[in-house]
Amino acid sequence: SRAAPRAPWTPDDELARVARAEVPGFAGYWLRDDGTPVVRLVDPSRRAAAERYLAPHLAAARRGRHAGAARTPVFLGAAYDFARLKGWADALHPLLARSDVFMIDVDEVENRVLVGAADGAAVAAVRAEAARLGVPAAALEVRTQPRPEVRDSLRGGVQIAFGTSLCTLGFNATSVASGQSLFVTNSHCTLTNFGFDGGTFYHPVVGAANVIGREIADRGLYPCNGPGSLCRKSDAAYVGHLPNASHPVAQGAIVRTAWASGGPGGTTAIGAFDIVARYTGFTPVGSWLDKTGRTTGSTYGQVTNSCVSFGTLVCQDVSKVYSQGGDSGAPVYVYLGGSGAAENDVQLQGILWGGPSGDPTTSYSSRLSGIEADLGALTGLCRPGYGC
């Protein structure tokens, strides 16, 4: 078994570091709908330093649907820098052990800590604890929201079956440590959520002739945010490929269906997206994400909350990507929007695992960096010749 990793580094940790040491008063950034970057600063005299630090990240954000976005950021004031907000969010993190507190996020758009809870009683409990911890009322928003749910299905992309449920095969890869060929899907799409069980996977449905793989890597929770706190960075498991002539392994390919935003896409394959790189760095609010799932096909939408904690899962993304039951495990990617031979180029970003109960217009996903931090480094993600 793998040794427990150190407390997980996240992009929010990096932004807090920047606010403390590199750009004092830095309070985060995001993208408007048209891709224009917006930067918040407590101290407006730090604009030049903020632009220097963000230059490579803003350049990376001008791609795909934001390829023509403005290069010059818009600057807005802030009451609290990112380090202070993250410190308050971390202090509130133990509240996620409650069954009626669902998420905590450093909300860079509104310059506050956002907490999602089940009802008025939970909202009151969060506010009381925040007051006890010294979190200013003006720095906190607590709102009610539906309970998070996973997107597996009891009844697009590549359908896989385990037990009595259906999920989506995320993407193919190779383990750096062992050299084994594998595919990635959600941990909750295994027999033991967040724990290794060595279970068998089938395509398209359970049957002796349909075996395609067995789980080779999953893990329990490990220490993260302070004493007694346990977490993971992803809802993911690795499944080793087994020979099956009816299910060939396609390196660097994601099924392409008809696209949609705000509703289901097609479920008939019309080609393939080509993974040409892994998405690294930040996924700011306003970024576009896409997914292809076995139930709702290829859908896309913008990130609404970045690097969010849900219960024991840290640094997850919330987006307006449409998903339904059976889309669990769907590959999440950034469309590059090239022309000619590059028309289908994408960067792999992670896998989808859920969304709010009763709201298919919002999805939750784990990042590739978090998957590898939990389960081990991967290679063979891209189409041959692209070297990832």
Side-chain angles (χ1 to χ4, degrees):
S1 61
R2 298 181 62 237
R6 293 173 295 177
W9 178 93
T10 70
D12 277 6
D13 292 321
E14 167 65 7
L15 295 179
R17 182 201 66 79
V18 172
R20 288 191 299 266
E22 195 163 339
V23 186
F26 178 70
Y29 75 103
W30 76 95
L31 308 177
R32 289 178 173 167
D33 287 352
D34 64 359
T36 300
V38 181
V39 182
R40 278 195 180 273
L41 293 174
V42 174
D43 181 356
S45 70
R46 301 290 183 173
R47 286 189 178 190
E51 285 190 278
R52 283 194 299 271
Y53 173 76
L54 288 173
H57 303 292
L58 298 183
R62 289 192 298 274
R63 69 187 89 195
R65 299 182 182 93
H66 280 158
R71 294 176 178 270
T72 304
V74 173
F75 287 89
L76 298 178
Y80 314 103
D81 70 25
F82 202 94
R84 292 186 73 190
L85 290 173
K86 187 174 187 303
W88 291 325
D90 288 347
L92 293 169
H93 197 271
L95 287 169
L96 291 172
R98 294 174 57 112
S99 62
D100 56 359
V101 178
F102 303 144
M103 62 164 279
I104 297 177
D105 179 38
V106 177
D107 184 350
E108 53 268 61
V109 177
E110 300 298 335
N111 193 227
R112 57 194 173 190
V113 177
L114 172 64
V115 181
D119 51 32
V123 169
V126 171
R127 287 180 174 154
E129 178 64 5
R132 186 188 72 81
L133 293 168
V135 180
L140 178 70
E141 179 186 359
V142 190
R143 67 187 185 198
T144 59
Q145 69 165 70
R147 184 178 299 276
E149 66 178 10
V150 297
R151 295 286 203 238
D152 61 1
S153 173
L154 294 176
R155 42 163 195 103
V158 178
Q159 175 175 298
I160 54 176
F162 69 104
T164 59
S165 296
L166 302 175
C167 281
T168 299
L169 187 154
F171 53 88
N172 294 311
T174 300
S175 166
V176 170
S178 68
Q180 184 165 359
S181 174
L182 60 87
F183 65 84
V184 180
T185 191
N186 289 144
S187 179
H188 77 254
C189 292
T190 68
L191 298 176
T192 304
N193 187 21
F194 295 170
F196 179 77
D197 59 60
T200 301
F201 283 76
Y202 306 83
H203 166 71
V205 295
V206 174
N210 297 332
V211 174
I212 60 169
R214 290 194 177 90
E215 185 185 51
I216 58 171
D218 201 345
R219 67 178 310 137
L221 304 176
Y222 52 83
C224 55
N225 290 319
S229 181
L230 300 174
C231 75
R232 281 179 50 141
K233 293 185 72 175
S234 68
D235 183 341
Y238 293 169
V239 181
H241 283 292
L242 296 174
N244 186 319
S246 66
H247 180 68
V249 177
Q251 178 180 335
I254 295 174
V255 173
R256 180 169 187 167
T257 75
W259 259 333
S261 183
T267 56
T268 299
I270 58 174
F273 292 109
D274 301 319
I275 301 172
V276 298
R278 58 173 68 215
Y279 189 91
T280 59
F282 301 111
T283 308
V285 170
S287 304
W288 289 97
L289 293 179
D290 296 55
K291 78 95 179 61
T292 300
R294 55 80 60 195
T295 302
T296 62
S298 300
T299 61
Y300 61 95
Q302 287 177 285
V303 174
T304 59
N305 299 86
S306 177
C307 206
V308 181
S309 289
F310 288 97
T312 56
L313 288 172
V314 300
C315 206
Q316 310 297 292
D317 290 316
V318 181
S319 67
K320 299 307 291 184
V321 171
Y322 190 94
S323 65
Q324 292 182 324
D327 288 331
S328 280
V332 174
Y333 49 95
V334 174
Y335 179 61
L336 299 181
S339 60
E343 177 186 0
N344 295 319
D345 287 359
V346 302
Q347 289 181 313
L348 184 64
Q349 202 266 355
I351 57 173
L352 184 147
W353 59 264
S357 176
D359 178 14
T361 67
T362 300
S363 292
Y364 305 150
S365 57
S366 297
R367 301 181 182 189
L368 176 59
S369 58
I371 294 170
E372 292 183 297
D374 284 347
L375 302 177
L378 298 172
T379 188
L381 299 167
C382 290
R383 286 291 203 188
Y386 285 95
C388 65

